[in-house]
Amino acid sequence: MSQKRPNIIQTVSSYSKQLMGFIRQRVNSDEDAEDILQDVWFQLSSVPEIEAIEQIGSWLYRVARNRIIDKYRKQKPDSLEDYGYEDEDGEFYFKEILLADGNTPETVYMKEVFWEELTIALQELPENQRQVFIWNELEDQTFQEIADRTGENIKTLISRKRYAVQHLRQRLETLYQEFVNY
């Protein structure tokens, strides 16, 4: 154990700056980069025999790259229901309108208005964004199913849906304000 410590300390001091730069270029924030770097050092400290690693630099960069990929895989794609709007009474989600149980004249009217506005906003989107949004949000298809259907990369599909959600959120914000103040 005492022989392992100097090798870890020497490796950390030799590679910290370069590895941090490598990670930082590939993630969105310094905090994420620091977390990933700490994961790399933790994994290094867990290796029983550091001397068995032939190319320590290559090994460190491979671990860092894997941690970056893991981080992006864990990120949840945007969903329209993830966007809530807060007022003084708490949060309000459009899905609450769509899934409301009662068929009071007020909820029926709100659902009709919402669907009309959503349809108009969807028509403003490029075809590929609109289609991914409809398949995923409204028809409950997974990104894998959509990828199999279209031959597109899953990351491309997630990106298209994200742009669609951002557009819809912006377009439907006025409607939300009307519903809240109704």
Side-chain angles (χ1 to χ4, degrees):
M1 183 71 166
S2 61
Q3 223 176 8
K4 184 178 178 183
R5 274 246 186 268
N7 288 334
I8 290 177
I9 294 169
Q10 182 182 9
T11 303
V12 169
S13 65
S14 297
Y15 287 96
S16 278
K17 207 173 212 177
Q18 294 169 317
L19 202 53
M20 181 61 161
F22 172 81
I23 296 168
R24 183 59 191 108
Q25 290 176 350
R26 289 160 177 79
V27 296
N28 296 328
S29 70
D30 288 335
E31 293 81 17
D32 289 341
E34 289 170 6
D35 288 345
I36 290 170
L37 185 60
Q38 289 302 314
D39 287 344
V40 171
W41 296 139
F42 178 76
Q43 187 163 345
L44 178 66
S45 70
S46 301
V47 173
E49 294 181 28
I50 293 178
E51 296 80 23
I53 301 172
E54 290 181 25
Q55 297 289 328
I56 191 76
S58 298
W59 186 90
L60 290 169
Y61 282 92
R62 187 176 67 238
V63 171
R65 192 174 7 262
N66 290 342
R67 292 288 179 259
I68 293 166
I69 291 168
D70 290 347
K71 180 194 176 336
Y72 284 108
R73 283 184 181 156
K74 288 179 184 175
Q75 288 180 343
K76 183 180 170 205
D78 284 344
S79 171
L80 187 60
E81 71 184 59
D82 291 339
Y83 291 103
Y85 299 92
E86 220 171 284
D87 63 359
E88 54 278 349
D89 299 326
E91 290 188 4
F92 175 89
Y93 294 92
F94 279 113
K95 223 160 194 180
E96 290 177 4
I97 296 169
L98 301 176
L99 301 176
D101 286 336
N103 275 333
T104 66
E106 182 179 85
T107 58
V108 169
Y109 170 74
M110 291 173 96
K111 286 179 186 179
E112 286 175 9
V113 171
F114 176 80
W115 280 109
E116 286 173 19
E117 289 299 315
L118 179 63
T119 302
I120 292 168
L122 283 170
Q123 292 304 317
E124 297 169 354
L125 291 170
E127 176 66 24
N128 56 11
Q129 291 177 15
R130 177 176 51 246
Q131 211 49 64
V132 169
F133 179 85
I134 290 170
W135 287 332
N136 184 254
E137 275 300 311
L138 303 178
E139 296 178 7
D140 288 328
Q141 292 182 26
T142 66
F143 284 107
Q144 185 61 58
E145 292 169 335
I146 298 169
D148 292 344
R149 175 187 215 169
T150 63
E152 295 280 348
N153 184 311
I154 290 178
K155 288 183 180 184
T156 301
L157 298 172
I158 290 170
S159 178
R160 287 179 182 165
K161 182 181 173 196
R162 184 175 62 84
Y163 286 121
V165 169
Q166 288 172 340
H167 171 77
L168 295 172
R169 178 181 185 216
Q170 183 179 9
R171 270 291 269 108
L172 299 174
E173 188 168 5
T174 304
L175 180 64
Y176 159 75
Q177 292 299 331
E178 290 175 9
F179 283 172
V180 168
N181 297 322
Y182 185 67

